[in-house]
Amino acid sequence: MTYFPEEVVEHIFDFLGSHRDRNAVSTVCKAWYGVERLSRRSVFVGNCYAVRPERVVARFPGVRSLSVKGKPHFADFNLVPDDWGGFALPWIEAFARGGLGLEELRLKRMVVSDESLELLARSFPSFKVLVLISCEGFSTDGLAAIATHCRVLRELDLQENEVEDCGPRWLSCFPDSCTSLVSLNFACLKGEVNAAALERLVARCPNIRTLRLNRAVSVDSLSKILARAPHLVDLGTGSFTIDHHAEAYHRLINNFTKCKSLKSLSGFWDASPRCLPAVYPICGNLTGLNLSYAPAIQGADLIKLIRLCLKLQRLWVLDCIGDKGLAVVASTCKELQELRVFPSDVCGVGTAAVTEEGLVAISSGCPKLNSLLYFCHQMTNAALVTVAKNCPHFTRFRLCILDPGKPDPVTNQPLDEGFGAIVQSCKDLRRLSLSGLLTDQVFLYIGMYAECLEMLSIAFAGDSDKGMVYVLNGCKNLRKLEIRDSPFGDAALLEDVGKYETMRSLWMSSCYVTLKGCKTLAAKMPRLNVEVINERDESDEMEENPSDLRRVEKMYVYRTVAGPRNDAPDFVWML
Amino acid sequence: MGRGPAERQGDRVEMSTTLEKERSLTELEADYEETALTLGLPGGSRAGGWDQQERKRGFSETVHLSDGSSGIEPRGGGDLGDESPDCAASGAGGPRASKARVVGWPPVRSYRKNALRGCTYVKVAVDGAPYLRKVDLEIYSGYHQLLTALQEMFSCFTIRDRRLVDPVKGTDYIPTYEDKDGDWMLVGDVPWKMFVASCKRLRLMNIAPRAPR
């Protein structure tokens, strides 16, 4: 192969789709490394502290698309303090200084400042795609900069970010010459939006296919937008309350009927059941439906809607759908692949929640199901065994029994056998989240059977170090392990220190790991960063000279070639 | 940094769990045993038309708020007497009070929690009063708590039956609310949480003075 000219090798590498494959070929020989690095167009950095931005820029000068992830997953649930880190600015600065022609940037769980958005907007004239997921630190002023300077912007996708509202002017910053938008998602913005500017923007972007509005956009505005963009494929409604007598309602139905390409619906903010019939005309085409922000839609109204969605592949709902509602999903949505049932505890309706019955019904009615997130009040081993048998194709299985450590209510046994059945049956399982009462036994099963498992989330589970060791020994493809409130200590942590270099990261909080264990790990493995996160008061005497035997509240370990990071706040100890 | 939504939620949870401190540990354990039964509907009609599942979430059928108010008994249907003390809790639906305080549990993104929570401040109008007030429905665990709060807010009232009464003027104020469809409804017909999700504003409606008993 080394006799082939470089252009040929490069051409062959073009066929390699995945990052993993490209990473692999780059290690074959120097020549291939050289060809690969110059022809690489897309880089994915799973942990922003695993490598320095400058190094990425130096190695891949031709990169046009960058994806970076910051905070550990448990940051989603307030387990990581706000100032922990994960800053986007160093990455944008490095790419700007390196003179790279960045076109796409995707960031998840990172701190993105307005300053960095401004720099991004000004530094890359060909910039086309910005996707921010679960990020924070910026305001609508940063968005204004993007709108103003990114002349060929195609995608602005803001998913579940905390964005400070500085007024509606950002949307008006898209110049009249901007006609390139294909995807615009600002559903997470809390503030007002200039309706006229929005309608004009949609009208002049003939290629717009994804549009997700925020709560401030009225139904009237939605109607006008649908009239201008009947070729939409993915729509997130704004506020979905109207007086059903009004003309607005009738206009809405008419305009929805014209949207023949609509495949995905979400939003439904403040939706009232009486508005639902407006979407009936397009339900038959829907492959994706997200009703998880509409607590007032439940019972008969919800069921009526679902019965029309014969082609549904992806459904997100609140648990007020109830087991009965799930039975309707099971009998209607034969193409269902992904189901998420969220708890409606905050603003929820107390009439129904879901149990193992709903899940069993889904599993028998929807054989194509491969991705599940299910919050429920109880689960039984029998049900899980049935689910495992009915749906052997799970790649993602996340079960959250709301009461931590709750056993099978029928037998009072732990749920080891149930989850064991899942991992044994689902050979392609890549992601698993456990809950309920669990002993070390479930980890034995996971270690034995979950060969493809890449991410495992454990909470309030296990009896002893053995549990964690089973997992570390058994799961060859494990990349991310996150554990909270489980009795695993130093012995488990230090059992196989080399394992952590084969993984992206390990998170342990409220476990039995001590400072000594962390220090030992850090000393043995220089290419791991071992971070101990302390949130105690300044006055705590522990500050002075913490005993090594003290249990560590939160520990985050990750492999890195960048060495200890220099932006860690005071409460993070880099060991 | 200011207090984030997570901390505020923690406070609300703590408020509701003070109700639970009234019960002894053995009572809680007994309740847990009761709810750890079969897949069939729990026996007994104590909760009436009220959601059977709610029982597993705690104490709705037996908690009497010990604030001295009379006549509030748990009844079937969506009565004012039906309370759900832990409905403000984070969804850890077990009977043990400590569970409700677990940080980051259930594992739901703050964004989602905030998005669903954001709708709970409503205006309260009282017929004849010069200005309105605002209350956050989410901090109350049931109709009785809401009425109590309104009683304190508009200090001329006392609670009698399901109404607020001005004993000086001898007038009744019937609590009504506007729902998401724009209809004016009587407060108390639907389960508390459904009410919280669909209530847009409250109005204490003045009716004719009551005939003397």
Side-chain angles (χ1 to χ4, degrees), chain A residues 262-316:
Chain A
L262 214 44
K263 288 227 164 27
S264 173
L265 265 190
S266 59
F268 295 101
W269 303 104
D270 306 312
S272 111
R274 295 228 206 138
C275 302
L276 284 188
V279 303
Y280 287 172
I282 45 113
C283 283
N285 293 333
L286 288 182
T287 56
L289 180 60
N290 182 354
L291 291 167
S292 64
Y293 290 104
I297 300 181
Q298 30 92 40
D301 300 302
L302 181 54
I303 287 176
K304 201 166 171 193
L305 182 69
I306 302 252
R307 281 204 203 278
L308 298 170
C309 301
L310 298 167
K311 293 190 186 161
L312 215 53
Q313 294 173 16
R314 189 175 46 85
L315 176 63
W316 292 21

Side-chain angles (χ1 to χ4, degrees), chain A residues 60-96:
Chain A
F60 301 113
V63 158
R64 302 210 192 110
S65 160
L66 175 69
S67 304
V68 189
K69 291 171 135 183
K71 301 186 192 183
H73 174 236
F74 275 175
D76 282 352
F77 317 129
N78 299 324
L79 290 180
V80 177
D82 281 336
D83 310 326
W84 174 83
F87 302 105
L89 188 58
W91 289 88
I92 298 172
E93 278 178 338
F95 271 67

Side-chain angles (χ1 to χ4, degrees), chain A residues 54 66 104 153 176 181 188 210 218 220 244 264 272 282 351 385-386 389-390 403 529 544 569:
Chain A
E54 295 76 22
L66 175 69
E104 303 180 8
L153 194 68
D176 289 339
L181 275 181
C188 63
T210 296
S218 69
D220 211 41
H244 62 291
S264 173
S272 111
I282 45 113
T351 49
V385 167
T386 306
K389 208 162 29 117
N390 291 340
D403 187 357
N529 275 357
E544 297 295 320

